[in-house]
Amino acid sequence: MSRIAGVATALPEHAYPQQAITDVLAPMVAHDPARQALMRRMHASTRVATRHLVLPLEQYRDALTFGQTNDRFVEEATRLAEAAASTALLRAGVRADEVDLIVFTSVTGVSAPSVDALLVPRLGMREDVKRMPMFGLGCVAGASGIARVHDYLEGHPDGVALLVSVELCSLTVQRDDDSTDNLVASGLFGDGGAAVVLVGAHRAVRDGVTGPDVVATRSRLYPGSGGVIGFRPSETGFRVILTAGVVDVIDANFADDATAFLDDQGLAVPDVGTWIAHPGGPKVLDAFQRGLRLPDGALDRSWASMAAVGNLSSSSVLFVLADELRQPHAGDEHGLLFALGPGVSAEFVLLRWPRAAAALVAA
């Protein structure tokens, strides 16, 4: 098993109420009064109260090319990644030069060299650190990143690994595009980054790490659902694909897959004390709760995170994880962390708090 040793989040300094963002974006995105009115209703229904944006709000009125927005992505993503990673390492009590593997994920910009390479000298990591940039997983990548780091640490029980996620979703909002996909996305997604430090089983015991163990993981890819969610590259950047079909995929598959995964670990839904769900949107969270027949309040941290910062794509479930780790947990308590993304794909991560654990404070 691997163990979570430290988690940190980072947000851009520019924060705005949802209504202020809508007022700026509505005339930029939709010119038809009826579509503008629809956009305002959609934004109001997201249950997002505040979002952090990487640019000052007024700058979104400027028509930027894909190259210009991507340049901003590389600059700002590296800055946020450094902030989140530095804090996560500090909380884990791990030096940067002890990191053996760094995984970086994002779907809202591209860079070569990748952002993880840019972080190595800035953080002071070793020149022989293993790097694995991931692109294209979208919202599922926070959960998938933990799972893939866990896979590595299973074979390196004395090792240290760092997962970093940064998503600058506001840079993908399209001008003059009143498609329903763009209307919804422009009101749901925010900007932010997160980092997670995990250690192998031997190191966890040696250092007395008190965070939860990663007990098991499972990946699923649902055939025939490739057009449900994702991005389509264009001259003006990444155009979002965000259809109502994602709820249909959840309704058809999610509960069966989640319960089968738990069953293979000798568990059932009532045995899970903590649910760490990707806050994909109100309909997505409702579908998760409905499928698993969870009691009211089981996903409150996901709802609260979505209200506070919006959907941060791959970073979102890591924000919920950071919020959860601020709370005390009983020894041997199980938690299920999960997310969905393009594919449509799902990732399940089973957590268990060690018996002697105190709460891992990620404040």
Side-chain angles (χ1 to χ4, degrees):
M1 290 184 288
S2 62
R3 186 171 293 178
I4 295 174
V7 182
T9 61
L11 290 163
E13 61 180 315
H14 310 293
Y16 302 95
Q18 177 79 319
Q19 185 62 56
I21 297 173
T22 303
D23 288 343
V24 168
L25 294 186
M28 182 186 91
V29 170
H31 303 299
D32 176 57
R35 297 298 286 177
Q36 269 198 37
L38 175 62
M39 179 177 175
R40 291 182 180 278
R41 291 195 298 273
M42 287 179 167
H43 282 206
S45 70
T46 61
R47 294 178 60 173
V48 174
T50 308
R51 283 185 284 164
H52 290 249
L53 305 180
V54 74
L55 302 179
L57 185 54
E58 61 273 9
Q59 289 189 18
Y60 290 88
R61 294 190 177 98
D62 301 333
L64 300 178
T65 66
F66 187 11
Q68 289 171 324
T69 58
N70 198 69
D71 286 345
R72 296 303 298 268
F73 169 84
V74 175
E75 177 184 353
E76 298 297 336
T78 305
R79 183 179 62 81
L80 282 175
E82 181 181 11
S86 297
T87 305
L89 289 166
L90 181 65
R91 289 173 179 161
V94 172
R95 301 191 314 272
D97 62 5
E98 294 180 280
V99 174
D100 303 299
L101 169 72
I102 177 171
V103 175
F104 175 78
T105 187
S106 182
V107 75
T108 52
V110 292
S111 176
S114 50
V115 169
D116 48 281
L118 301 178
L119 284 179
V120 169
R122 294 175 70 141
L123 292 174
M125 287 187 280
R126 302 192 312 268
E127 293 180 357
D128 68 344
V129 65
K130 300 176 180 71
R131 298 186 297 109
M132 187 169 67
M134 300 194 305
F135 179 85
L137 289 173
C139 294
V140 78
S144 296
I146 290 177
R148 300 294 76 79
V149 166
H150 168 72
D151 292 343
Y152 171 82
L153 290 172
E154 283 282 84
H156 298 81
D158 294 301
V160 177
L162 173 65
L163 168 67
V164 184
S165 160
V166 178
E167 302 287 9
L168 305 184
C169 304
S170 69
L171 297 179
T172 72
V173 173
Q174 297 295 301
R175 300 172 61 90
D176 308 316
D177 176 6
D178 64 359
S179 65
T180 301
D181 294 8
N182 197 43
L183 298 187
V184 173
S186 63
L188 181 62
F189 290 94
D191 298 341
V196 183
V197 179
L198 294 98
V199 298
H202 292 175
R203 171 130 188 176
V205 173
R206 187 190 77 198
D207 291 357
V209 176
T210 59
D213 290 320
V214 178
V215 177
T217 71
R218 180 163 297 174
S219 305
R220 283 300 308 270
L221 184 63
Y222 303 118
S225 61
V228 172
I229 49 177
F231 276 125
R232 186 179 72 253
S234 73
E235 294 81 358
T236 55
F238 295 121
R239 291 185 176 271
V240 70
I241 301 169
L242 188 64
T243 73
V246 66
V247 173
D248 296 332
V249 174
I250 295 172
D251 287 341
N253 301 283
F254 179 78
D256 287 344
D257 287 337
T259 55
F261 174 54
L262 291 173
D263 184 65
D264 287 347
Q265 304 302 318
L267 301 170
V269 168
D271 297 317
V272 177
T274 298
W275 298 91
I276 303 171
H278 167 64
K283 292 182 179 179
V284 169
L285 287 176
D286 284 341
F288 288 151
Q289 181 172 355
R290 180 173 62 247
L292 292 170
R293 300 181 181 179
L294 298 178
D296 290 343
L299 302 182
D300 276 358
R301 297 205 196 285
S302 296
W303 285 104
S305 181
M306 188 171 65
V309 296
N311 181 343
L312 303 178
S313 189
S314 68
S315 299
S316 263
V317 76
L318 305 182
F319 269 67
V320 182
L321 174 64
D323 289 342
E324 189 59 56
L325 293 181
R326 295 187 181 99
Q327 312 305 316
H329 290 268
D332 285 336
E333 178 183 341
H334 285 91
L336 187 64
L337 180 149
F338 56 89
L340 266 69
V344 169
S345 58
E347 194 80 40
F348 302 93
V349 179
L350 182 63
L351 304 175
R352 184 178 63 221
W353 274 262
R355 290 184 180 179
L360 173 68
V361 179

